[in-house]
Amino acid sequence: MTDGFSYVTLIGDVIHPGNLNVISEASKRGEVIVGLLTDKAIAERERPPFLDFQQRETIIKNIVGVSKVVPQHDWCGEDNLRKFKPKYVIHGDDWIHNNLSPVREKTIKIMSEWGGEVIDIPYTQGINSSVIMTARREFGTTPELRLKMLRRLIDSKPLIRIMEVHSGISGLIVEHAEIEKEDGLHYFDGMWSSSLTDSTSKGKPDIEAVDLTTRLQDLTNVLECTTKPIIYDGDTGGKLEHFVFTVRTLERNGISAVIIEDKMGLKRNSLYGTSVQQTLAPVEDFCAKIQAGKRAQLTKDFMIIARLESLIAGHSVDEALERARAYVEAGADGIMIHSKEKSGMDIKEFCQRFRKEFERIPIVLVPTTYNQFREKEFQEWGANIIIYANHMLRASYPAMVKVANSILENERSLEADELCMPIKEILNLIPYYE
């Protein structure tokens, strides 16, 4: 144990007076080493940081009083504590009563092994956590930062939760939705721009005739008021030459990934009905499209994900795996496997067999039909990304029908009030910049 040596844990995404106060108190006791939480460690309990580890490290190293910065891979920092054996751990006293209290208890136990001390300093008053969260979100409003976020999430979280959006207001709901649970904060990591819900929200059929420019005009409404990464539903990707243009355009706008499906012919939603026959694209043609898209992109961060329609078309898991291997070889950054089988057993078999062959290629699932499974089960299968592909639109339609019928029935809107969100709450959702 080093005399007068203090240890402090920080996130470092937004530095506020409370952080500086902790460092100041620690420096009064000698040299200060900061355990800087990694993206993966942060994501265990709350939203991942907008600044990456290297950016946050640069900031913390330049704070007066900090002697050294080291990566911290969990909220307790057990490995670092045992390695450096500090005399003091300095922390704000808010962790006595909040969801970090088990971390505090564990830290006290570890420090007692060499006579170290945990010092809880008074929480700095006047720190508004909602203001801090707003500031953190503003870091992610550039196309470059948004584009990179999906890969960062895949590297830092065991499972990523994506929700469909089709308008600015649905984007804001997904941006802010969160629930505190025993294992930390639960929220949506990103958004799905669905061709189905985009066209349906306009009262039009889900066909591939809607061009990219039209789709992007509506997606811009989401981009302007949110910060989370977006995965774009690219249908089949169109002709090879068109797909090259699509990749460049999406990348330029800060979209993180496009998913394209390996079927041909007139666009018809895969879950439409059993009578719809899917025609799969020749493997070599779809691989050529993936390769052309990968050559077209300008950054290493953009992702092209291949969606397999084999199971929808009535083929075997073996056939789906054969196609998946070819698509990975062609450069696909991830594989999405789709099925309308309610048991989900074909999906489970595919995931488990694919994961044995490809340890690091992300698997994307859209459990619309086999929604009896929980996210932890999908994670056990080997899945990385879960997309809730149409639920925001499907929820809005029955709600609007109820309100419309209520007004017709009662010839006034009073009875509909209990079905409607107050105007003040709606206005509070909309960002206001002075």
Side-chain angles (χ1 to χ4, degrees), residues 368-419:
T368 305
T369 53
Y370 52 97
N371 57 8
Q372 69 271 30
F373 299 102
R374 297 189 185 276
E375 293 166 353
K376 287 189 180 298
E377 293 174 89
F378 295 135
Q379 184 181 332
E380 290 170 358
W381 296 359
N384 304 87
I385 301 175
I386 305 300
I387 298 178
Y388 298 97
N390 44 47
H391 296 77
M392 297 296 281
L393 182 70
R394 287 167 55 198
S396 65
Y397 180 82
M400 290 189 289
V401 169
K402 286 182 181 178
V403 169
N405 287 341
S406 174
I407 291 173
L408 289 174
E409 176 69 29
N410 298 289
E411 301 181 19
R412 65 180 186 181
S413 63
L414 176 64
E415 288 76 11
D417 278 353
E418 65 181 20
L419 301 172

Side-chain angles (χ1 to χ4, degrees), residues 89 118 139 272 316 378 423:
V89 165
V118 173
F139 284 137
Y272 187 82
S316 66
F378 295 135
I423 289 293

Side-chain angles (χ1 to χ4, degrees), residues 240 243 260-262 281-295 304 306 308 322-332:
L240 187 147
F243 183 55
I260 54 172
E261 56 195 77
D262 62 350
V283 172
E284 58 272 17
D285 290 353
F286 196 69
C287 286
K289 188 177 291 185
I290 293 171
Q291 291 167 339
K294 293 304 295 180
R295 288 194 300 269
I304 296 176
L308 298 166
E322 185 177 342
R323 282 179 170 263
R325 295 184 192 103
Y327 300 160
V328 171
E329 181 66 26

Side-chain angles (χ1 to χ4, degrees), residues 24 112 127 133 171 180 189 234 268:
S24 176
S112 68
I127 302 300
M133 284 306 302
E180 185 74 42
D189 299 288
R268 200 73 177 274

